[in-house]
Amino acid sequence: MNILIVEDDQLISLLLTRLVEKMGYNVVDNVTTGEKAIDIVKETAVDIIFMDIMLDGKIDGITAMEVIQSSKDIPALYITGNSDAITIKRAQNTVYLDYLVKPVDRNQLSNICSSYKKKMN
């Protein structure tokens, strides 16, 4: 399974990369902006996007997912520090597997990815 990590905190990005690789999945790229995520999915096969909401760049993660999902069937796994009602309501306008509030629990992340992989097969 190919996973794109969109996270502007380098430490969290590295942690997510290691978790994904330990689960046996492939990290296709790590990017810090929604704009770059949009560019990556145009050229690369991606199965899931681990998406932070507050990002570097001009657009946030939810807006990036709206743009991506207008042309690709790629779900998000939101991993964010934002758990306010307005942000969650905005996220509900996109297709996502789950909405996790940092810090991420490794077992929860593994269960979500495993469940999605079974659906893909």
Side-chain angles (χ1 to χ4, degrees):
M1 198 159 56
N2 292 322
I3 298 174
L4 172 62
I5 297 174
V6 186
E7 170 62 62
D8 60 347
D9 182 307
Q10 290 182 349
L11 184 59
I12 294 172
S13 181
L14 179 61
L15 172 68
L16 289 172
T17 298
R18 287 186 179 166
L19 287 173
V20 167
E21 290 172 348
K22 283 184 180 183
M23 290 186 290
Y25 305 126
N26 180 47
V27 175
V28 296
D29 209 338
N30 291 291
V31 297
T32 60
T33 68
E35 294 88 348
K36 187 66 176 169
I38 292 165
D39 291 341
I40 294 293
V41 299
K42 289 177 184 175
E43 303 169 4
T44 307
V46 175
D47 298 306
I48 301 174
I49 300 173
F50 287 11
M51 181 66 77
D52 188 12
I53 292 177
M54 299 304 294
L55 297 167
D56 292 340
K58 295 181 180 179
I59 63 173
D60 69 8
I62 297 171
T63 301
M65 286 309 304
E66 290 170 340
V67 171
I68 290 166
Q69 291 176 348
S70 70
S71 62
K72 302 265 186 170
D73 291 326
I74 305 170
L77 174 57
Y78 289 112
I79 301 173
T80 184
N82 298 17
S83 60
D84 63 278
I86 294 170
T87 303
I88 293 171
K89 187 169 180 91
R90 282 187 61 226
Q92 291 172 344
N93 292 324
T94 65
V95 177
Y96 65 97
L97 302 176
D98 211 330
Y99 190 102
L100 304 179
V101 178
K102 296 173 187 174
V104 176
D105 178 79
R106 182 183 189 274
N107 291 328
Q108 187 178 23
L109 189 66
S110 179
N111 289 339
I112 294 164
C113 289
S114 293
S115 293
Y116 184 67
K117 185 176 180 182
K118 287 177 186 174
K119 286 181 185 180
M120 289 176 54
N121 294 331

